[in-house]
Amino acid sequence: MNTFDKAGIGQKIRERREKLGMSQEELAKLIGYTSRSTINKIEMGKIDIAQSKIEKFARALDIPPVVLMGWDYPLISDMTLPNLDNLHVNSPIHKMRNHYETDLFRIVTQLSNDQLNELIEFAKSLYESNKKQD
């Protein structure tokens, strides 16, 4: 699903923040808000998150923006990917993964639906050709 669900995003933010043992105040400071009340409203689904803040939330919570947005494309869900959740935040592979995901998120958010579908089909073909080579 590729729609914006502010309640779902708020829930993901709260769950991830709590998993990391982070307070609303700490998250607010990392994002650039002056008080925890904005974080509380976002987590409750009462207010939207500005697109410019999605990346900041993802970085502060150490999750890919696509996960935060709740996007689930068959290409991603069907793949067997290594579990990188337990990697140290400062590890080289973690930094590289975050860099690529951030770049992809920036690009994807600028595409039309037709362009996004074309990108997904291209990614599927790349994935399938890599599977054949292995």
Side-chain angles (χ1 to χ4, degrees):
M1 182 171 200
N2 197 10
T3 60
F4 185 79
D5 175 13
K6 67 182 175 184
I9 291 174
Q11 182 179 356
K12 284 179 180 57
I13 289 170
R14 183 182 68 245
E15 289 171 358
R16 182 65 178 167
R17 178 184 58 75
E18 289 174 351
K19 183 177 181 179
L20 294 173
M22 187 184 299
S23 70
Q24 287 180 336
E25 293 86 2
E26 291 169 319
L27 182 56
K29 287 179 186 175
L30 288 172
I31 303 301
Y33 293 122
T34 56
S35 73
R36 71 165 195 84
S37 66
T38 304
I39 299 297
N40 185 51
K41 290 175 186 173
I42 290 169
E43 289 181 355
M44 300 296 290
K46 293 181 179 180
I47 61 172
D48 291 331
I49 302 171
Q51 183 178 354
S52 62
K53 297 284 187 182
I54 297 288
E55 184 179 337
K56 288 183 180 185
F57 271 98
R59 284 185 186 203
L61 296 170
D62 193 30
I63 58 174
V66 294
V67 172
L68 185 61
M69 297 297 291
W71 292 348
D72 182 29
Y73 293 113
L75 172 66
I76 295 170
S77 62
D78 290 346
M79 282 195 234
T80 303
L81 299 173
N83 184 353
L84 302 177
D85 292 339
N86 296 324
L87 283 177
H88 190 273
V89 177
N90 292 321
S91 72
I93 194 168
H94 187 276
K95 287 180 180 178
M96 182 178 71
R97 180 178 173 217
N98 258 359
H99 171 74
Y100 287 126
E101 288 170 349
T102 300
D103 285 349
L104 280 172
F105 177 74
R106 285 186 189 135
I107 293 166
V108 166
T109 58
Q110 303 299 315
L111 298 178
S112 69
N113 285 340
D114 288 341
Q115 290 171 323
L116 186 55
N117 287 330
E118 189 176 332
L119 176 63
I120 290 168
E121 290 305 314
F122 177 70
K124 284 179 183 178
S125 69
L126 282 177
Y127 176 69
E128 289 301 320
S129 69
N130 282 339
K131 277 178 41 178
K132 290 176 186 174
Q133 291 177 3
D134 293 341

